[in-house]
Amino acid sequence: MKVVRCISAPVNVLLRMVVSGQMPQRPGAFAAQFAPETLQRFKDLCRQQDKAYSKVLERLALLYVETNGAVLADRSAPVGAAPGVQKRQVQVETLQNKLLEDLLKRVEILEKKDVKMLYELDRVYKELAFLKSGLQSPG
């Protein structure tokens, strides 16, 4: 340790050279390599919400630990669920997907029928208009 004194104001300065070239870190310090654009977007959002990004990261890490990683797990199958429960979950989702497909096909058919009906109604109205005017329909 080297003590440096300034004539105008005496100050003790602790200088420590780190051989690795890295700055000394306090216990609990964390260094990570983010994609620069991700880090910037994260910092900007935290700034908008008036939150310290390091505290947000700490809370996210705590949430990850408390949920045993489930916070980032695939939402279709809960982490730690029994294989039978996961299988039933997949079966339910498959059934839901089939029902949704069937429903979408039915809606499409109804929409086509609606368009066809509107076309036919339009044709009938035109034909009536021709008959009322005393003209022959062109067809």
Side-chain angles (χ1 to χ4, degrees):
M1 178 169 28
K2 181 178 181 181
V3 177
V4 177
R5 299 199 186 270
C6 182
I7 295 174
S8 62
V11 176
N12 290 333
V13 176
L14 174 65
L15 297 176
R16 179 177 174 201
M17 299 290 284
V18 178
V19 178
S20 68
Q22 295 179 352
M23 294 296 293
Q25 295 183 350
R26 67 172 176 78
F30 174 73
Q33 296 296 321
F34 285 85
E37 60 277 357
T38 303
L39 181 59
Q40 191 58 51
R41 287 175 57 206
F42 177 68
K43 284 182 174 182
D44 290 345
L45 181 59
C46 289
R47 198 172 299 117
Q48 287 172 7
Q49 296 175 348
D50 198 29
K51 295 181 180 178
Y53 74 91
S54 59
K55 293 298 179 187
V56 173
L57 281 175
E58 185 176 11
R59 288 188 64 196
L60 286 171
L62 187 59
L63 180 63
Y64 186 80
V65 170
E66 287 174 352
T67 63
N68 199 28
V71 70
L72 296 180
D74 182 18
R75 304 232 183 240
S76 63
V79 171
V85 173
Q86 288 179 346
K87 184 177 179 182
R88 282 192 300 276
Q89 179 78 21
V90 169
Q91 289 172 340
V92 167
E93 288 178 3
T94 303
L95 181 60
Q96 286 174 338
N97 289 338
K98 286 181 182 177
L99 290 172
L100 183 59
E101 280 182 39
D102 184 50
L103 185 59
L104 289 173
K105 285 179 185 176
R106 289 177 181 209
V107 168
E108 186 179 341
I109 290 169
L110 288 173
E111 287 174 345
K112 286 180 181 177
K113 284 182 178 179
D114 186 46
V115 168
K116 196 173 188 179
M117 183 186 66
L118 289 174
Y119 174 76
E120 287 297 319
L121 281 174
D122 187 51
R123 188 185 62 75
V124 168
Y125 286 137
K126 285 180 182 175
E127 203 167 305
L128 278 173
F130 276 117
L131 289 173
K132 284 183 179 179
S133 68
L135 300 173
Q136 288 288 351
S137 62

